[in-house]
């Protein structure tokens, strides 16, 4: 398994995985992925030994040096490949980028997505808010979670 910058030619595969993972919650279109890349988002793909995309994750950052703020916009792993550490590897790579920028990281996650909440908690995120009916069309609620910026000393 390899993690590398997401290639535009893999976007159709991202859309396929999105539909598998987020069927009831308005899965992203190819257009959505293209606009994230156009906006300069930090997007990574996880590739299997046959160089096929099996997962992806993206971080968006706003602000200026000394005052950056990042958000995890998406993270997904093909169901057939879950439970092998790929989600953890993708998240760590996003967080390493945020740490380089000394940026706090925010995200939204469904309140019933125990696996993802647990993964984020293990990586330093805490719940800071609740957004009712954040996901559509399902109407599911989301937690907002935050991981504080790492200081220069912590990052090393
Ligand atoms: C959340 C997600 C990205 C994690 O990806 P993954 O590749 O399965 O993650 P990992 O293999 O690194 O495992 C992360 C943790 O999930 C849990 N987990 C993984 N597979 C599991 C399974 N089959 N059953 C139960 N728990 C499982 C484990 O607690 C694991 O932690 P561990 O290190 O203690 O084993 C993936 O489950 C996914 O794509 N989910 C659907 C999309 C989604 O919810 N995205 C997040 C939206 S905010």
């Amino acid at each position: 398994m390899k993690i590398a910058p997401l290639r535009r030619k893999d976007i159709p595969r991202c859309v396929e995985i999105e539909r598998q993972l987020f069927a009831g919650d308005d899965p992203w279109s190819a257009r959505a992925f293209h606009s994230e890349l156009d906006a300069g988002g930090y997007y990574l793909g996880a590739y299997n030994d046959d160089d096929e995309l099996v997962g992806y994750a993206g971080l968006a950052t706003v602000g200026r040096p000394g005052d950056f703020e990042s958000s995890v916009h998406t993270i997904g792993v093909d169901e057939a490949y879950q439970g092998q550490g790929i989600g953890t590897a993708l998240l760590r790579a996003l967080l390493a980028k945020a740490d380089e920028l000394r940026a706090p990281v925010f995200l939204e996650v469904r309140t019933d997505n125990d696996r993802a909440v647990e993964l984020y908690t293990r990586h330093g995120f805490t719940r800071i808010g609740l957004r009712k009916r954040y996901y559509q069309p399902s109407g599911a609620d989301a937690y907002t979670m935050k991981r504080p910026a790492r200081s220069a000393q912590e990052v090393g």
Side-chain angles (χ1 to χ4, degrees):
M1 208 269 303
K2 180 183 81 174
I3 292 192
L6 183 69
R7 307 172 298 203
R8 285 193 192 246
K9 69 173 183 178
D10 292 319
I11 288 180
R13 180 74 187 115
C14 290
V15 171
E16 242 175 63
I17 299 176
E18 276 278 310
R19 290 190 181 139
Q20 178 199 71
L21 301 177
F22 301 111
D25 282 327
D26 198 13
W28 280 13
S29 61
R31 198 165 159 182
F33 279 99
H34 280 291
S35 34
E36 289 281 310
L37 293 181
D38 291 345
Y42 181 67
Y43 272 71
L44 298 172
Y47 298 90
N48 69 12
D49 293 343
D50 296 324
D51 204 32
E52 292 162 347
L53 185 91
V54 298
Y56 53 86
L59 187 82
T61 299
V62 295
R64 55 181 73 180
D67 194 20
F68 285 121
E69 201 176 285
S70 295
S71 307
V72 175
H73 274 191
T74 187
I75 179 163
V77 174
D78 184 324
E79 277 167 3
Y81 288 84
Q82 290 181 8
Q84 301 175 24
I86 297 172
T88 299
L90 284 166
L91 180 63
R92 285 200 177 142
L94 295 190
L95 296 179
K97 182 66 176 177
D99 288 346
E100 257 174 45
L101 301 170
R102 312 269 185 262
V105 185
F106 295 84
L107 58 80
E108 265 82 33
V109 57
R110 274 178 71 129
T111 54
D112 60 2
N113 192 346
D114 294 340
R115 192 187 294 181
V117 169
E118 171 64 26
L119 176 67
Y120 298 138
T121 303
R122 214 162 339 111
H123 287 84
F125 286 86
T126 54
R127 280 161 30 185
I128 58 164
L130 175 69
R131 293 181 170 219
K132 299 295 269 182
R133 303 187 60 75
Y134 179 78
Y135 294 99
Q136 296 299 330
S138 69
D141 299 340
Y143 292 128
T144 299
M145 300 185 82
K146 177 184 180 186
R147 176 182 182 264
R150 297 284 160 106
S151 70
Q153 292 87 336
E154 284 170 309
V155 175

